[in-house]
């Protein structure tokens, strides 16, 4: 099994296991900051009524729901994720909200099952670090965006502030898996999430990957001293 296949299988197992507690654990381990971060990211997406949007690695669907409200009944949101268990939670939320403009799709971010230039905007929130190859996914998102289309990526990052950096990694390496064990009976799964975050590129490196994928006018919004960041890129008109 290749390294990419091994990572894919590992990540799939993790999210198939933690789906029931995923939302509550997200709030716990981020001190509820992830909701404010997503609101900032939403403002950068700036989705408009009637637009077509894809939310890649949509998980339990919170960002997809927010985007669906933004594009309105005349628009459409596709929430794409490879964990059917995570999508079950998203489907429940969709039914509660009674949104008819969301389609939840079980699919692979490495090979997005849509034609070129299908969407006006794309998002990926806390999912890029878990894919087998970051650049492949960015290129796939670029492919399915229309010229002038926007990608917004909300993800963990690598703070460079002395001491704060060490505290951040101590928290991710030791405290977060412990919280996973106590509140979700999932120590090894949350230990894996620490590993995926610690190996994820810093803001400058991810900007370079955006550029390699073809995006222009790339901007970065650093969050909480750099422990997370929002990257935005635009697919050129020509």
């Amino acid at each position: 099994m290749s390294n990419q296949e091994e990572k894919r299988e590992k990540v799939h197992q993790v999210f198939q296991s933690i789906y029931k507690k995923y939302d509550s654990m997200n709030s716990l381990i981020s001190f509820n900051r992830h909701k404010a971060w997503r609101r900032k990211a939403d403002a950068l997406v700036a989705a408009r009524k009637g637009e077509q949007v894809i939310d890649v690695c949509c998980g339990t669907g919170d960002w997809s729901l927010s985007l669906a409200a933004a594009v309105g009944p005349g628009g459409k949101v596709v929430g794409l994720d490879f964990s059917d268990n995570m999508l079950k939670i998203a489907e429940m939320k969709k039914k509660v909200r009674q949104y008819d403009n969301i389609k939840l799709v079980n699919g692979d971010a490495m090979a997005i099952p849509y034609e070129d230039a299908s969407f006006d905007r794309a998002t990926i929130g806390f999912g890029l670090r878990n894919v087998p190859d970051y650049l492949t996914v960015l290129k796939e998102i670029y492919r399915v965006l229309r010229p002038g289309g926007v990608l917004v990526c909300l993800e963990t990052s690598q703070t460079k502030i002395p001491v704060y950096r060490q505290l951040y990694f101590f928290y991710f390496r030791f405290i977060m898996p412990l919280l996973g064990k106590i509140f979700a009976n999932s120590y090894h799964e949350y230990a894996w999430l620490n590993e995926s975050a610690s190996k994820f590129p810093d803001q400058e490196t991810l900007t370079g990957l955006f550029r390699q994928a073809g995006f222009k006018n790339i901007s970065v919004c650093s969050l909480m001293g750099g422990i997370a960041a929002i990257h935005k890129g635009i697919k050129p008109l020509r």
Side-chain angles (χ1 to χ4, degrees):
M1 183 181 291
S2 70
N3 289 339
Q4 287 195 4
E5 289 171 338
E6 187 176 344
K7 182 174 181 180
R8 187 188 189 283
E9 288 301 313
K10 177 62 177 177
V11 172
H12 188 257
Q13 181 270 323
V14 166
F15 285 99
Q16 287 288 87
S17 299
I18 67 174
Y19 70 102
K20 289 182 180 178
K21 298 281 188 175
Y22 180 79
D23 288 335
S24 58
M25 285 299 298
N26 256 6
S27 295
L28 177 65
I29 64 181
S30 74
F31 304 102
N32 221 33
R33 295 304 301 159
H34 70 104
K35 295 179 181 179
W37 295 346
R38 198 180 70 244
R39 286 195 294 270
K40 284 191 175 184
D42 257 335
L44 290 171
V45 177
R48 296 191 285 256
K49 300 295 184 185
E51 289 189 325
Q52 311 288 305
V53 182
I54 183 166
D55 183 21
V56 181
C57 301
C58 70
T60 58
D62 284 343
W63 206 351
S64 299
L65 291 165
S66 176
L67 293 164
V71 301
K76 180 182 177 182
V77 174
V78 170
L80 180 80
D81 203 276
F82 77 154
S83 169
D84 58 331
N85 280 345
M86 297 286 275
L87 289 175
K88 287 175 185 175
I89 304 297
E91 283 284 3
M92 291 169 59
K93 294 177 182 178
K94 173 185 169 182
K95 288 179 181 178
V96 169
R97 299 279 190 92
Q98 298 184 334
Y99 282 167
D100 297 324
N101 59 341
I102 300 179
K103 182 178 182 181
L104 296 169
V105 176
N106 188 284
D108 190 351
M110 298 275 286
I112 296 174
Y114 285 90
E115 296 181 357
D116 297 359
S118 295
F119 299 97
D120 301 296
R121 299 174 196 271
T123 59
I124 181 166
F126 300 113
L128 189 60
R129 71 179 185 271
N130 294 311
V131 302
D133 186 84
Y134 313 131
L135 184 56
T136 296
V137 171
L138 291 174
K139 286 181 175 179
E140 272 294 278
I141 294 173
Y142 183 91
R143 178 184 65 79
V144 300
L145 278 173
R146 294 172 181 142
V150 173
L151 165 63
V152 173
C153 171
L154 170 59
E155 191 52 271
T156 57
S157 192
Q158 308 292 340
T159 180
K160 296 181 179 179
I161 301 172
V163 181
Y164 185 48
R165 176 181 174 85
Q166 283 71 34
L167 289 171
Y168 168 71
F169 281 115
F170 179 85
Y171 174 76
F172 256 70
R173 184 177 179 184
F174 297 106
I175 305 301
M176 190 175 73
L178 184 60
L179 292 173
K181 180 179 180 179
I182 294 170
F183 293 101
N185 195 29
S186 301
Y187 179 88
H188 294 293
E189 287 79 5
Y190 280 90
W192 157 256
L193 294 180
N194 156 63
E195 183 181 340
S196 67
S198 65
K199 292 180 178 179
F200 194 69
D202 60 20
Q203 294 176 23
E204 293 78 11
T205 305
L206 185 54
T207 297
L209 291 175
F210 264 60
R211 194 171 292 113
Q212 285 184 59
F215 290 98
K216 304 293 183 184
N217 301 325
I218 302 159
S219 61
V220 183
C221 175
S222 186
L223 302 167
M224 280 189 70
I227 65 170
I230 306 168
H231 282 68
K232 177 180 178 180
I234 298 173
K235 182 173 180 176
L237 291 172
R238 60 174 69 187

